Amino acid sequence: FVWGTNDRPEIRWIGPDGSPDVIARWTQQRLELDDQVWGQYADIARSQNASAFQPTPDDAFEETLRRQRSAAPAQLPYFRLIHPTGDGVVWVSEYGLSPQYASRFLVISSDGRTSHWVTFPRPIRVLDVSSERVLGIEMDDYEVQSVVMYPIAQ
């Protein structure tokens, strides 16, 4: 199986005996959670609250944002999710401010070498990856989910 923790840019392939078979590490700058980044997050959160079925009243929502800001770490995690494929390749989703899906993924080969970044036109929740295609779910501007399939260039 594949294991990773988003406090450092590292993924481990664990063998049947529990020992790491392969360890992949890469260089990546951590995003500082400064006022500009927090402002972007707060704008996204306010927009999502405003479009919710039962939005939280503004005063209560702003208090929630203040509590979140005081409890937030100084830096954001390196990645959000790890998606291993059947052939041992791992797709690591870039960490973003939105709680929605990622649109950029770092692809790491089964021998632990970082291969390349893949960028999708919209954020996508990856469901399955084969050598020929990526199957996932995208959400449009109206929060309507669609199942999509993208070919992988050979």
Side-chain angles (χ1 to χ4, degrees):
F1 69 95
V2 179
W3 177 86
T5 177
N6 62 11
D7 64 346
R8 64 179 171 259
E10 176 181 288
I11 303 292
R12 295 176 183 217
W13 285 255
I14 307 297
D17 64 352
S19 64
D21 288 343
V22 176
I23 299 175
R25 295 183 179 106
W26 63 94
T27 303
Q28 182 178 345
Q29 291 288 80
R30 286 191 84 161
L31 183 61
E32 299 291 328
L33 189 56
D34 58 15
D35 290 338
Q36 178 185 0
V37 173
W38 181 259
Q40 292 170 351
Y41 168 77
D43 289 346
I44 291 168
R46 285 185 192 102
S47 172
Q48 289 177 339
N49 182 55
S51 65
F53 177 68
Q54 292 183 334
T56 303
D58 289 344
D59 291 346
F61 190 76
E62 290 302 320
E63 178 58 31
T64 298
L65 283 176
R66 279 192 288 282
R67 280 196 315 272
Q68 287 177 345
R69 178 65 173 121
S70 66
Q75 296 176 322
L76 294 178
Y78 285 104
F79 55 87
R80 188 175 299 274
L81 295 171
I82 302 168
H83 186 86
T85 67
D87 57 357
V89 174
V90 174
W91 287 52
V92 180
S93 67
E94 182 176 58
Y95 192 90
L97 295 175
S98 172
Q100 302 301 332
Y101 317 129
S103 57
R104 272 181 35 114
F105 292 80
L106 176 63
V107 179
I108 304 173
S109 63
S110 60
D111 62 1
R113 295 178 191 194
T114 56
S115 177
H116 58 283
W117 283 92
V118 173
T119 303
F120 292 95
R122 294 181 159 282
I124 183 172
R125 175 178 166 217
V126 173
L127 299 175
D128 189 43
V129 180
S130 73
S131 61
E132 299 172 355
R133 53 113 183 109
V134 177
L135 178 69
I137 296 175
E138 287 182 346
M139 192 175 313
D140 68 14
D141 296 334
Y142 300 103
E143 297 184 5
V144 175
Q145 295 182 352
S146 301
V147 175
V148 295
M149 188 169 10
Y150 290 102
I152 296 179
Q154 299 296 327

PDB file of all heavy atoms in Angstrom, residues 23-51:
ATOM      1  N   ILE A  23      10.678   4.990  -1.182  1.00  0.00           N
ATOM      2  CA  ILE A  23      10.346   6.277  -0.572  1.00  0.00           C
ATOM      3  C   ILE A  23      10.587   7.351  -1.619  1.00  0.00           C
ATOM      4  O   ILE A  23      11.679   7.444  -2.182  1.00  0.00           O
ATOM      5  CB  ILE A  23      11.193   6.556   0.682  1.00  0.00           C
ATOM      6  CG1 ILE A  23      10.949   5.482   1.741  1.00  0.00           C
ATOM      7  CG2 ILE A  23      10.877   7.946   1.240  1.00  0.00           C
ATOM      8  CD1 ILE A  23      11.832   5.601   2.966  1.00  0.00           C
ATOM      9  N   ALA A  24       9.569   8.141  -1.888  1.00  0.00           N
ATOM     10  CA  ALA A  24       9.700   9.249  -2.850  1.00  0.00           C
ATOM     11  C   ALA A  24       9.656  10.551  -2.071  1.00  0.00           C
ATOM     12  O   ALA A  24       8.773  10.764  -1.239  1.00  0.00           O
ATOM     13  CB  ALA A  24       8.572   9.214  -3.861  1.00  0.00           C
ATOM     14  N   ARG A  25      10.619  11.419  -2.334  1.00  0.00           N
ATOM     15  CA  ARG A  25      10.642  12.759  -1.751  1.00  0.00           C
ATOM     16  C   ARG A  25      10.824  13.753  -2.883  1.00  0.00           C
ATOM     17  O   ARG A  25      11.495  13.462  -3.854  1.00  0.00           O
ATOM     18  CB  ARG A  25      11.791  12.890  -0.757  1.00  0.00           C
ATOM     19  CG  ARG A  25      11.632  12.005   0.449  1.00  0.00           C
ATOM     20  CD  ARG A  25      12.763  12.236   1.453  1.00  0.00           C
ATOM     21  NE  ARG A  25      12.576  11.393   2.606  1.00  0.00           N
ATOM     22  CZ  ARG A  25      13.302  10.309   2.871  1.00  0.00           C
ATOM     23  NH1 ARG A  25      14.271   9.945   2.071  1.00  0.00           N
ATOM     24  NH2 ARG A  25      13.049   9.590   3.944  1.00  0.00           N
ATOM     25  N   TRP A  26      10.217  14.912  -2.743  1.00  0.00           N
ATOM     26  CA  TRP A  26      10.367  15.936  -3.763  1.00  0.00           C
ATOM     27  C   TRP A  26      10.494  17.293  -3.093  1.00  0.00           C
ATOM     28  O   TRP A  26      10.181  17.461  -1.926  1.00  0.00           O
ATOM     29  CB  TRP A  26       9.211  15.901  -4.760  1.00  0.00           C
ATOM     30  CG  TRP A  26       7.855  16.190  -4.176  1.00  0.00           C
ATOM     31  CD1 TRP A  26       7.217  17.394  -4.132  1.00  0.00           C
ATOM     32  CD2 TRP A  26       6.974  15.251  -3.537  1.00  0.00           C
ATOM     33  NE1 TRP A  26       6.001  17.274  -3.521  1.00  0.00           N
ATOM     34  CE2 TRP A  26       5.825  15.968  -3.147  1.00  0.00           C
ATOM     35  CE3 TRP A  26       7.034  13.890  -3.265  1.00  0.00           C
ATOM     36  CZ2 TRP A  26       4.747  15.353  -2.502  1.00  0.00           C
ATOM     37  CZ3 TRP A  26       5.977  13.291  -2.616  1.00  0.00           C
ATOM     38  CH2 TRP A  26       4.848  14.017  -2.252  1.00  0.00           C
ATOM     39  N   THR A  27      10.958  18.252  -3.865  1.00  0.00           N
ATOM     40  CA  THR A  27      11.131  19.610  -3.363  1.00  0.00           C
ATOM     41  C   THR A  27       9.882  20.410  -3.672  1.00  0.00           C
ATOM     42  O   THR A  27       9.404  20.410  -4.806  1.00  0.00           O
ATOM     43  CB  THR A  27      12.341  20.279  -4.038  1.00  0.00           C
ATOM     44  OG1 THR A  27      13.490  19.473  -3.807  1.00  0.00           O
ATOM     45  CG2 THR A  27      12.563  21.674  -3.506  1.00  0.00           C
ATOM     46  N   GLN A  28       9.362  21.045  -2.657  1.00  0.00           N
ATOM     47  CA  GLN A  28       8.160  21.851  -2.828  1.00  0.00           C
ATOM     48  C   GLN A  28       8.146  22.918  -1.746  1.00  0.00           C
ATOM     49  O   GLN A  28       8.374  22.619  -0.581  1.00  0.00           O
ATOM     50  CB  GLN A  28       6.922  20.955  -2.717  1.00  0.00           C
ATOM     51  CG  GLN A  28       5.618  21.663  -2.917  1.00  0.00           C
ATOM     52  CD  GLN A  28       4.438  20.700  -2.832  1.00  0.00           C
ATOM     53  OE1 GLN A  28       4.597  19.482  -2.888  1.00  0.00           O
ATOM     54  NE2 GLN A  28       3.260  21.244  -2.684  1.00  0.00           N
ATOM     55  N   GLN A  29       7.867  24.141  -2.141  1.00  0.00           N
ATOM     56  CA  GLN A  29       7.760  25.223  -1.168  1.00  0.00           C
ATOM     57  C   GLN A  29       6.414  25.133  -0.467  1.00  0.00           C
ATOM     58  O   GLN A  29       5.394  24.892  -1.101  1.00  0.00           O
ATOM     59  CB  GLN A  29       7.867  26.583  -1.868  1.00  0.00           C
ATOM     60  CG  GLN A  29       9.241  26.859  -2.426  1.00  0.00           C
ATOM     61  CD  GLN A  29      10.242  27.132  -1.325  1.00  0.00           C
ATOM     62  OE1 GLN A  29      10.753  26.214  -0.699  1.00  0.00           O
ATOM     63  NE2 GLN A  29      10.504  28.385  -1.082  1.00  0.00           N
ATOM     64  N   ARG A  30       6.424  25.332   0.836  1.00  0.00           N
ATOM     65  CA  ARG A  30       5.158  25.379   1.566  1.00  0.00           C
ATOM     66  C   ARG A  30       4.548  26.753   1.416  1.00  0.00           C
ATOM     67  O   ARG A  30       5.241  27.755   1.370  1.00  0.00           O
ATOM     68  CB  ARG A  30       5.374  25.071   3.033  1.00  0.00           C
ATOM     69  CG  ARG A  30       5.644  23.594   3.230  1.00  0.00           C
ATOM     70  CD  ARG A  30       5.607  23.227   4.644  1.00  0.00           C
ATOM     71  NE  ARG A  30       4.235  22.989   5.062  1.00  0.00           N
ATOM     72  CZ  ARG A  30       3.940  22.309   6.149  1.00  0.00           C
ATOM     73  NH1 ARG A  30       4.884  21.825   6.909  1.00  0.00           N
ATOM     74  NH2 ARG A  30       2.696  22.131   6.496  1.00  0.00           N
ATOM     75  N   LEU A  31       3.251  26.793   1.325  1.00  0.00           N
ATOM     76  CA  LEU A  31       2.529  28.047   1.201  1.00  0.00           C
ATOM     77  C   LEU A  31       2.291  28.612   2.597  1.00  0.00           C
ATOM     78  O   LEU A  31       1.701  27.948   3.452  1.00  0.00           O
ATOM     79  CB  LEU A  31       1.198  27.813   0.478  1.00  0.00           C
ATOM     80  CG  LEU A  31       0.341  29.028   0.200  1.00  0.00           C
ATOM     81  CD1 LEU A  31       1.090  30.017  -0.701  1.00  0.00           C
ATOM     82  CD2 LEU A  31      -0.962  28.611  -0.455  1.00  0.00           C
ATOM     83  N   GLU A  32       2.800  29.813   2.832  1.00  0.00           N
ATOM     84  CA  GLU A  32       2.587  30.487   4.112  1.00  0.00           C
ATOM     85  C   GLU A  32       1.139  30.960   4.195  1.00  0.00           C
ATOM     86  O   GLU A  32       0.594  31.491   3.230  1.00  0.00           O
ATOM     87  CB  GLU A  32       3.529  31.685   4.244  1.00  0.00           C
ATOM     88  CG  GLU A  32       4.995  31.326   4.199  1.00  0.00           C
ATOM     89  CD  GLU A  32       5.461  30.555   5.427  1.00  0.00           C
ATOM     90  OE1 GLU A  32       4.920  30.784   6.529  1.00  0.00           O
ATOM     91  OE2 GLU A  32       6.360  29.715   5.283  1.00  0.00           O
ATOM     92  N   LEU A  33       0.537  30.783   5.333  1.00  0.00           N
ATOM     93  CA  LEU A  33      -0.843  31.233   5.529  1.00  0.00           C
ATOM     94  C   LEU A  33      -0.808  32.676   6.012  1.00  0.00           C
ATOM     95  O   LEU A  33      -1.027  32.969   7.177  1.00  0.00           O
ATOM     96  CB  LEU A  33      -1.575  30.320   6.511  1.00  0.00           C
ATOM     97  CG  LEU A  33      -3.067  30.548   6.650  1.00  0.00           C
ATOM     98  CD1 LEU A  33      -3.766  30.453   5.295  1.00  0.00           C
ATOM     99  CD2 LEU A  33      -3.672  29.542   7.600  1.00  0.00           C
ATOM    100  N   ASP A  34      -0.520  33.582   5.099  1.00  0.00           N
ATOM    101  CA  ASP A  34      -0.458  35.007   5.433  1.00  0.00           C
ATOM    102  C   ASP A  34      -1.842  35.630   5.237  1.00  0.00           C
ATOM    103  O   ASP A  34      -2.813  34.957   4.897  1.00  0.00           O
ATOM    104  CB  ASP A  34       0.615  35.715   4.609  1.00  0.00           C
ATOM    105  CG  ASP A  34       0.387  35.583   3.102  1.00  0.00           C
ATOM    106  OD1 ASP A  34      -0.728  35.198   2.681  1.00  0.00           O
ATOM    107  OD2 ASP A  34       1.330  35.877   2.357  1.00  0.00           O
ATOM    108  N   ASP A  35      -1.930  36.952   5.435  1.00  0.00           N
ATOM    109  CA  ASP A  35      -3.224  37.628   5.340  1.00  0.00           C
ATOM    110  C   ASP A  35      -3.818  37.550   3.935  1.00  0.00           C
ATOM    111  O   ASP A  35      -5.032  37.441   3.775  1.00  0.00           O
ATOM    112  CB  ASP A  35      -3.086  39.091   5.774  1.00  0.00           C
ATOM    113  CG  ASP A  35      -2.846  39.222   7.272  1.00  0.00           C
ATOM    114  OD1 ASP A  35      -3.188  38.270   8.014  1.00  0.00           O
ATOM    115  OD2 ASP A  35      -2.316  40.259   7.701  1.00  0.00           O
ATOM    116  N   GLN A  36      -2.968  37.572   2.911  1.00  0.00           N
ATOM    117  CA  GLN A  36      -3.463  37.490   1.538  1.00  0.00           C
ATOM    118  C   GLN A  36      -4.089  36.123   1.272  1.00  0.00           C
ATOM    119  O   GLN A  36      -5.191  36.026   0.736  1.00  0.00           O
ATOM    120  CB  GLN A  36      -2.340  37.759   0.549  1.00  0.00           C
ATOM    121  CG  GLN A  36      -2.798  37.635  -0.891  1.00  0.00           C
ATOM    122  CD  GLN A  36      -1.657  37.780  -1.889  1.00  0.00           C
ATOM    123  OE1 GLN A  36      -0.516  37.979  -1.510  1.00  0.00           O
ATOM    124  NE2 GLN A  36      -1.978  37.667  -3.158  1.00  0.00           N
ATOM    125  N   VAL A  37      -3.387  35.061   1.654  1.00  0.00           N
ATOM    126  CA  VAL A  37      -3.911  33.706   1.448  1.00  0.00           C
ATOM    127  C   VAL A  37      -5.169  33.495   2.279  1.00  0.00           C
ATOM    128  O   VAL A  37      -6.153  32.928   1.814  1.00  0.00           O
ATOM    129  CB  VAL A  37      -2.830  32.648   1.768  1.00  0.00           C
ATOM    130  CG1 VAL A  37      -3.403  31.248   1.727  1.00  0.00           C
ATOM    131  CG2 VAL A  37      -1.666  32.781   0.801  1.00  0.00           C
ATOM    132  N   TRP A  38      -5.153  33.965   3.535  1.00  0.00           N
ATOM    133  CA  TRP A  38      -6.339  33.821   4.374  1.00  0.00           C
ATOM    134  C   TRP A  38      -7.513  34.589   3.770  1.00  0.00           C
ATOM    135  O   TRP A  38      -8.655  34.116   3.785  1.00  0.00           O
ATOM    136  CB  TRP A  38      -6.093  34.286   5.796  1.00  0.00           C
ATOM    137  CG  TRP A  38      -7.324  34.096   6.614  1.00  0.00           C
ATOM    138  CD1 TRP A  38      -8.235  35.048   6.970  1.00  0.00           C
ATOM    139  CD2 TRP A  38      -7.849  32.868   7.107  1.00  0.00           C
ATOM    140  NE1 TRP A  38      -9.270  34.490   7.662  1.00  0.00           N
ATOM    141  CE2 TRP A  38      -9.061  33.153   7.765  1.00  0.00           C
ATOM    142  CE3 TRP A  38      -7.407  31.555   7.058  1.00  0.00           C
ATOM    143  CZ2 TRP A  38      -9.827  32.163   8.360  1.00  0.00           C
ATOM    144  CZ3 TRP A  38      -8.165  30.569   7.669  1.00  0.00           C
ATOM    145  CH2 TRP A  38      -9.372  30.881   8.309  1.00  0.00           C
ATOM    146  N   GLY A  39      -7.263  35.753   3.202  1.00  0.00           N
ATOM    147  CA  GLY A  39      -8.319  36.531   2.567  1.00  0.00           C
ATOM    148  C   GLY A  39      -8.952  35.775   1.413  1.00  0.00           C
ATOM    149  O   GLY A  39     -10.178  35.804   1.229  1.00  0.00           O
ATOM    150  N   GLN A  40      -8.123  35.079   0.636  1.00  0.00           N
ATOM    151  CA  GLN A  40      -8.654  34.270  -0.469  1.00  0.00           C
ATOM    152  C   GLN A  40      -9.546  33.153   0.072  1.00  0.00           C
ATOM    153  O   GLN A  40     -10.625  32.894  -0.460  1.00  0.00           O
ATOM    154  CB  GLN A  40      -7.514  33.673  -1.293  1.00  0.00           C
ATOM    155  CG  GLN A  40      -6.722  34.698  -2.065  1.00  0.00           C
ATOM    156  CD  GLN A  40      -5.460  34.093  -2.676  1.00  0.00           C
ATOM    157  OE1 GLN A  40      -5.091  32.955  -2.391  1.00  0.00           O
ATOM    158  NE2 GLN A  40      -4.794  34.863  -3.516  1.00  0.00           N
ATOM    159  N   TYR A  41      -9.071  32.487   1.135  1.00  0.00           N
ATOM    160  CA  TYR A  41      -9.865  31.420   1.746  1.00  0.00           C
ATOM    161  C   TYR A  41     -11.186  31.974   2.276  1.00  0.00           C
ATOM    162  O   TYR A  41     -12.256  31.400   2.053  1.00  0.00           O
ATOM    163  CB  TYR A  41      -9.092  30.743   2.874  1.00  0.00           C
ATOM    164  CG  TYR A  41      -9.972  29.850   3.712  1.00  0.00           C
ATOM    165  CD1 TYR A  41     -10.356  28.600   3.247  1.00  0.00           C
ATOM    166  CD2 TYR A  41     -10.457  30.275   4.945  1.00  0.00           C
ATOM    167  CE1 TYR A  41     -11.194  27.786   3.992  1.00  0.00           C
ATOM    168  CE2 TYR A  41     -11.297  29.478   5.696  1.00  0.00           C
ATOM    169  CZ  TYR A  41     -11.665  28.233   5.219  1.00  0.00           C
ATOM    170  OH  TYR A  41     -12.501  27.444   5.945  1.00  0.00           O
ATOM    171  N   ALA A  42     -11.113  33.107   2.983  1.00  0.00           N
ATOM    172  CA  ALA A  42     -12.322  33.693   3.568  1.00  0.00           C
ATOM    173  C   ALA A  42     -13.326  34.081   2.484  1.00  0.00           C
ATOM    174  O   ALA A  42     -14.536  33.890   2.652  1.00  0.00           O
ATOM    175  CB  ALA A  42     -11.954  34.900   4.428  1.00  0.00           C
ATOM    176  N   ASP A  43     -12.850  34.599   1.356  1.00  0.00           N
ATOM    177  CA  ASP A  43     -13.745  34.943   0.246  1.00  0.00           C
ATOM    178  C   ASP A  43     -14.449  33.703  -0.298  1.00  0.00           C
ATOM    179  O   ASP A  43     -15.656  33.732  -0.575  1.00  0.00           O
ATOM    180  CB  ASP A  43     -12.971  35.639  -0.874  1.00  0.00           C
ATOM    181  CG  ASP A  43     -12.529  37.045  -0.493  1.00  0.00           C
ATOM    182  OD1 ASP A  43     -13.038  37.592   0.510  1.00  0.00           O
ATOM    183  OD2 ASP A  43     -11.648  37.588  -1.203  1.00  0.00           O
ATOM    184  N   ILE A  44     -13.688  32.615  -0.454  1.00  0.00           N
ATOM    185  CA  ILE A  44     -14.276  31.355  -0.925  1.00  0.00           C
ATOM    186  C   ILE A  44     -15.322  30.864   0.079  1.00  0.00           C
ATOM    187  O   ILE A  44     -16.432  30.474  -0.293  1.00  0.00           O
ATOM    188  CB  ILE A  44     -13.184  30.285  -1.142  1.00  0.00           C
ATOM    189  CG1 ILE A  44     -12.299  30.654  -2.328  1.00  0.00           C
ATOM    190  CG2 ILE A  44     -13.808  28.900  -1.355  1.00  0.00           C
ATOM    191  CD1 ILE A  44     -11.032  29.806  -2.444  1.00  0.00           C
ATOM    192  N   ALA A  45     -14.983  30.901   1.358  1.00  0.00           N
ATOM    193  CA  ALA A  45     -15.900  30.422   2.397  1.00  0.00           C
ATOM    194  C   ALA A  45     -17.168  31.274   2.447  1.00  0.00           C
ATOM    195  O   ALA A  45     -18.278  30.743   2.567  1.00  0.00           O
ATOM    196  CB  ALA A  45     -15.194  30.433   3.750  1.00  0.00           C
ATOM    197  N   ARG A  46     -17.025  32.593   2.351  1.00  0.00           N
ATOM    198  CA  ARG A  46     -18.204  33.469   2.353  1.00  0.00           C
ATOM    199  C   ARG A  46     -19.104  33.182   1.151  1.00  0.00           C
ATOM    200  O   ARG A  46     -20.331  33.151   1.275  1.00  0.00           O
ATOM    201  CB  ARG A  46     -17.768  34.935   2.343  1.00  0.00           C
ATOM    202  CG  ARG A  46     -17.244  35.420   3.666  1.00  0.00           C
ATOM    203  CD  ARG A  46     -16.939  36.922   3.617  1.00  0.00           C
ATOM    204  NE  ARG A  46     -16.179  37.297   4.786  1.00  0.00           N
ATOM    205  CZ  ARG A  46     -14.865  37.506   4.805  1.00  0.00           C
ATOM    206  NH1 ARG A  46     -14.161  37.401   3.683  1.00  0.00           N
ATOM    207  NH2 ARG A  46     -14.251  37.828   5.912  1.00  0.00           N
ATOM    208  N   SER A  47     -18.497  32.982  -0.003  1.00  0.00           N
ATOM    209  CA  SER A  47     -19.263  32.689  -1.214  1.00  0.00           C
ATOM    210  C   SER A  47     -20.029  31.376  -1.066  1.00  0.00           C
ATOM    211  O   SER A  47     -21.205  31.290  -1.436  1.00  0.00           O
ATOM    212  CB  SER A  47     -18.313  32.621  -2.413  1.00  0.00           C
ATOM    213  OG  SER A  47     -18.982  32.164  -3.549  1.00  0.00           O
ATOM    214  N   GLN A  48     -19.363  30.360  -0.520  1.00  0.00           N
ATOM    215  CA  GLN A  48     -20.030  29.067  -0.328  1.00  0.00           C
ATOM    216  C   GLN A  48     -21.140  29.180   0.710  1.00  0.00           C
ATOM    217  O   GLN A  48     -22.196  28.570   0.561  1.00  0.00           O
ATOM    218  CB  GLN A  48     -19.015  28.008   0.065  1.00  0.00           C
ATOM    219  CG  GLN A  48     -18.105  27.628  -1.079  1.00  0.00           C
ATOM    220  CD  GLN A  48     -17.035  26.633  -0.681  1.00  0.00           C
ATOM    221  OE1 GLN A  48     -16.709  26.490   0.491  1.00  0.00           O
ATOM    222  NE2 GLN A  48     -16.470  25.965  -1.668  1.00  0.00           N
ATOM    223  N   ASN A  49     -20.918  29.955   1.757  1.00  0.00           N
ATOM    224  CA  ASN A  49     -21.954  30.144   2.770  1.00  0.00           C
ATOM    225  C   ASN A  49     -23.161  30.859   2.167  1.00  0.00           C
ATOM    226  O   ASN A  49     -24.300  30.475   2.412  1.00  0.00           O
ATOM    227  CB  ASN A  49     -21.417  30.929   3.963  1.00  0.00           C
ATOM    228  CG  ASN A  49     -22.472  31.094   5.039  1.00  0.00           C
ATOM    229  OD1 ASN A  49     -23.046  30.125   5.521  1.00  0.00           O
ATOM    230  ND2 ASN A  49     -22.740  32.340   5.394  1.00  0.00           N
ATOM    231  N   ALA A  50     -22.915  31.882   1.353  1.00  0.00           N
ATOM    232  CA  ALA A  50     -24.013  32.647   0.755  1.00  0.00           C
ATOM    233  C   ALA A  50     -24.863  31.786  -0.178  1.00  0.00           C
ATOM    234  O   ALA A  50     -26.069  32.013  -0.299  1.00  0.00           O
ATOM    235  CB  ALA A  50     -23.453  33.853   0.006  1.00  0.00           C
ATOM    236  N   SER A  51     -24.246  30.799  -0.828  1.00  0.00           N
ATOM    237  CA  SER A  51     -25.001  29.962  -1.759  1.00  0.00           C
ATOM    238  C   SER A  51     -25.523  28.670  -1.122  1.00  0.00           C
ATOM    239  O   SER A  51     -26.123  27.849  -1.797  1.00  0.00           O
ATOM    240  CB  SER A  51     -24.139  29.616  -2.982  1.00  0.00           C
ATOM    241  OG  SER A  51     -23.040  28.821  -2.597  1.00  0.00           O
TER     242      SER A  51
END
